Amino acid sequence: MTTGRAAGRTSGTRRRGVLRRAVDGVVTALVRRGSGPRGTVLLTVAGRTSGQPRTTPVTLVERDGTRWLVAPYGPVGWVANVRAAGVVDVRRGRAVQRLAVEEVDAAVGAPVLRQYLQEVAVVRRVFDVAPTDPVEAFVPLVATHPVFRLRPV
């Protein structure tokens, strides 16, 4: 069952508005201090053209002992950087981990994407499915909302 949102809302990328940038700034400051929303970390990855570090707050999901990175707003800049780099640093407070990143196919990513929507309510508005929909409804969405498996380097 879908939520009745307009078709196509999940395709393409989304630009962050002024409010989203302000919220990201507050979340970034909190996560740097070791607090902030549960599961939220600072993702740092080398820019694909500049090589300069780029940092953004993201929420990770844990499933079956594995940590997962989901791109709820589609293939935005950090996604292209992650694909190019293959490794990222995640930070919460003073703890920093270097992780290898592997993009997964739709069959693997669909249950992770569904769990992500169940746990991260703020992004639900950009999806054409509800968190309670069957996993099969999430399979086509992995093409526009990439899912990455994270492993220690």
Side-chain angles (χ1 to χ4, degrees), residues 9-12 70-75 113 126-127 140-147:
R9 291 263 317 262
T10 60
S11 62
V70 173
Y73 300 110
L113 187 56
V126 300
F127 286 86
L141 298 180
V142 175
T144 53
H145 300 277
V147 177

Side-chain angles (χ1 to χ4, degrees), residues 15-88:
R15 293 185 58 87
R16 294 184 315 155
V18 173
L19 180 59
R20 184 73 224 177
R21 287 192 306 268
V23 168
D24 283 353
V26 170
V27 169
T28 296
L30 290 171
V31 173
R32 275 199 175 111
R33 292 186 185 115
S35 59
R38 184 180 64 86
T40 302
V41 298
L42 297 180
L43 176 83
T44 301
V45 61
R48 64 194 173 282
T49 56
S50 70
Q52 297 299 310
R54 305 291 180 202
T55 301
T56 189
V58 296
T59 301
L60 303 181
V61 215
E62 188 166 327
R63 182 178 179 82
D64 301 326
T66 300
R67 294 191 337 178
W68 300 86
L69 174 62
V70 173
Y73 300 110
V76 293
W78 69 257
V79 173
N81 291 339
V82 165
R83 286 174 170 157
V87 294
V88 297

Side-chain angles (χ1 to χ4, degrees), residues 98-123:
R98 174 145 292 201
L99 302 169
V101 179
E102 172 194 6
E103 189 166 358
V104 298
D105 64 23
V108 174
V112 175
L113 187 56
R114 181 175 185 245
Q115 180 178 335
Y116 185 86
L117 254 63
Q118 290 170 344
E119 294 180 9
V120 187
V122 71
V123 299

